[in-house]
Amino acid sequence: MVAATNTTSLSALARTLVQQGKLIEQEAEAIQSQANSSAVSFVSQLILSRKMTALDVAQFASHTFGFPLLDLSALDIEHIPDGLLPVKLMQERRVLGLYKRGTRLFVAMSDPTNAQALDEIKFQTSMLVDPVVVEDDKLAKLVEKAGESASDKLDELVGEDVDMDMLEAEGEGGAAAQDESGAGDVDDAPVVKYLQKVLLDAINSGVSDIHFEPFEKFYRIRYRLDGVLYEVAKPPLAIKDKIASRIKVISKLDISEKRIPQDGRMKLVLSKARAIDFRVSTLPTLWGEKIVMRILDPTSAQLGVDALGYEPAQKEALLHAVARPYGMVLVTGPTGSGKTVSLYTCLNILNLPGTNISTAEDPAEINLPGVNQVNVNEKAGLTFAAALRAFLRQDPDVIMVGEIRDLETADISIKAAQTGHMVLSTLHTNDAPTTLTRLMNMGVAPFNIASSVILITAQRLARRLCSHCKKPIDIPKEALLRAGFKEEDLDGTWQPYGHVGCETCKNTGYKGRVGIYQVMPITDEISRIIMKNGTAIDIADQAKIEGVKDLRQSGLLKVKQGLTSLEEVEAVTNE
């Protein structure tokens, strides 16, 4: 093993303090490390360490970087214009909007070198940002007061009747609807802005799901980011019914029905060129309706196979399989493992003018132009099996079935694969070998499986280490061997990394996710095992002989590459 080295990434201010002789490098690194661990800024930790006072830091930053210095004790919070910056941004980045002049926004901050904060302010306001240096402790108090003031104003106005015209129902013209109703300035309503902000923050942060959860004494909003739920807000309890009702109206749900779960869709129009769909699910609970919104960003299907995390051999096997004229390719894994994105990536590759593609989904999550997408409707009799039968009369080349749930759907899919069609689908199984035995347990004849299935890929999503703050760590050899590494792997040519946490990754240590895959082509030998009613263990043993990496081995390879941590791989894969 290569010995760990100290690679604490110093902020620009910390580096300048070292260069100017205000701190020695070891002190700066220690303070930066403590700041990362405590999820606070370098300036706050520097002041806590008593190496410098808040005034000393502000004067140094102003003089060194040439930004104006302002004494916040002389500033009345009531005289600061409302709405210059979102409250959440002010609290997270510890910044305060002071005033704007033309296209320039003047912002109070204790660290004017914080590029992430400056970029985020510029992105969210679409204005040029001019930092004004202030003392960190005084800034913290004013930011807290600004947050309380905004919360009080929201509390006072939640009883007003509001609308959400920015959220456009599918198939309806939001602007036209607004003009006809005469609600021209409804966008000024605080609840409207609050909900829009929640949705926009979620989109900008790469969130996959938003949870609106009512309880007896409070109401909370949580985001699922990189597979983990984080609480982001506790808005006033009084707005829970208005938020639920408006979301239901725009999602074409029955606003009067609060006793049973409902499912719908809604759309957030960001610009003429971009709109984000949301899949909406309501659930009656003791204290009101819980709403979960799945963000369906069509750009995720256009990432390309290289961005998904397949190893070169796995990618080659997958592309070779989907390029075949007929056969079945199955993607397996638990809910939230990225199966849908993998399928849509394959469809995107196959989506050519000369190819007729039809999909049956429950529901269609991503709109893919050029692909005939059908939502199954069990109540109306449009099941996966019924849709598949209809597809076969529509001269298809490629068929995608959202999920094989029963024998009827499996039988029709397999017959389609045997009669000259490429069929893509998903199953909920733990790994690739158990997929074949699952089909047998459903009642599919072994010879049908062997003659139709050409490749199975099982997958998981592991959180990707933040490239800005990950650090080398020492892991005992015994722990590495227990995790699945072999003696020959521990040759000292690679270094495991662990998570730290910084502003870029919101102090989680992880940013984004990377796929872990088991890609198993169905070879002649595996087909023979299937024909003999072999078990999943028999199939797995043969796949191992043929060089197929299981999920744990693929995960450990990501650890060697420094993409994720060992603990993350152990959490998402079975040994």
Side-chain angles (χ1 to χ4, degrees), residues 411-430:
D411 269 339
I412 300 172
S413 300
I414 283 173
K415 286 172 184 170
Q418 291 171 332
T419 54
H421 307 94
M422 170 55 63
V423 179
L424 308 176
S425 189
T426 72
L427 274 134
H428 287 277
T429 59
N430 289 329

Side-chain angles (χ1 to χ4, degrees), residues 415-530:
K415 286 172 184 170
Q418 291 171 332
T419 54
H421 307 94
M422 170 55 63
V423 179
L424 308 176
S425 189
T426 72
L427 274 134
H428 287 277
T429 59
N430 289 329
D431 59 16
T434 55
T435 305
L436 297 167
T437 54
R438 170 77 190 281
L439 288 171
M440 286 189 258
N441 291 338
M442 275 186 183
V444 180
F447 66 86
N448 277 333
I449 298 172
S451 62
S452 59
V453 180
I454 57 176
L455 180 135
I456 301 171
T457 172
Q459 65 182 74
R460 300 288 189 277
L461 288 177
R463 289 183 294 170
R464 188 189 293 266
L465 284 167
C466 174
S467 59
H468 289 84
C469 66
K470 68 179 182 180
K471 66 174 183 179
I473 58 172
D474 273 330
I475 301 176
K477 180 179 178 181
E478 296 74 18
L480 293 170
L481 292 172
R482 277 199 307 273
F485 283 108
K486 298 181 176 63
E487 284 282 357
E488 55 266 29
D489 293 326
L490 309 181
D491 55 7
T493 60
W494 58 277
Q495 171 69 60
Y497 284 82
H499 62 93
V500 179
C502 65
E503 290 183 347
T504 302
C505 62
K506 301 187 186 300
N507 294 303
T508 63
Y510 298 94
K511 188 168 179 62
R513 290 195 282 181
V514 62
I516 296 174
Y517 302 93
Q518 178 186 25
V519 178
M520 185 178 81
I522 307 304
T523 60
D524 291 342
E525 191 54 44
I526 291 178
S527 293
R528 278 191 281 272
I529 294 172
I530 296 168

Side-chain angles (χ1 to χ4, degrees), residues 312-370:
Q314 295 174 334
K315 171 187 166 185
E316 184 181 349
L318 177 65
L319 294 180
H320 176 72
V322 298
R324 301 256 301 261
Y326 60 88
M328 180 182 283
V329 173
L330 296 172
V331 180
T332 75
T335 301
S337 60
K339 299 189 298 296
T340 300
V341 172
S342 291
L343 281 179
Y344 273 98
T345 301
C346 292
L347 288 179
N348 219 22
I349 294 169
L350 299 172
N351 189 15
L352 301 171
T355 305
N356 180 21
I357 303 175
S358 296
T359 75
E361 302 165 76
D362 185 21
E365 294 196 2
I366 299 171
N367 179 28
L368 203 57

Side-chain angles (χ1 to χ4, degrees), residues 159-213:
E160 294 182 7
D161 189 20
V162 298
D163 205 341
M164 286 167 48
D165 288 346
M166 185 178 177
L167 297 172
E168 180 186 58
E170 282 191 300
E172 297 179 5
Q178 179 174 326
D179 290 340
E180 291 172 6
S181 67
D185 27 1
V186 76
D187 278 347
D188 291 334
V191 176
V192 177
K193 286 190 174 183
Y194 183 75
L195 183 55
Q196 290 171 0
K197 185 67 170 61
V198 168
L199 302 183
L200 290 171
D201 280 350
I203 293 167
N204 292 333
S205 300
V207 168
S208 62
D209 301 87
I210 311 170
H211 293 236
F212 298 86
E213 300 173 305

Side-chain angles (χ1 to χ4, degrees), residues 43 47 52-59 110 134-138:
V43 173
I47 295 165
M52 296 178 72
T53 66
L55 180 58
D56 290 338
V57 177
Q59 289 176 338
S110 57
V134 297
E135 294 159 68
D136 189 75
D137 51 357
K138 294 178 181 178

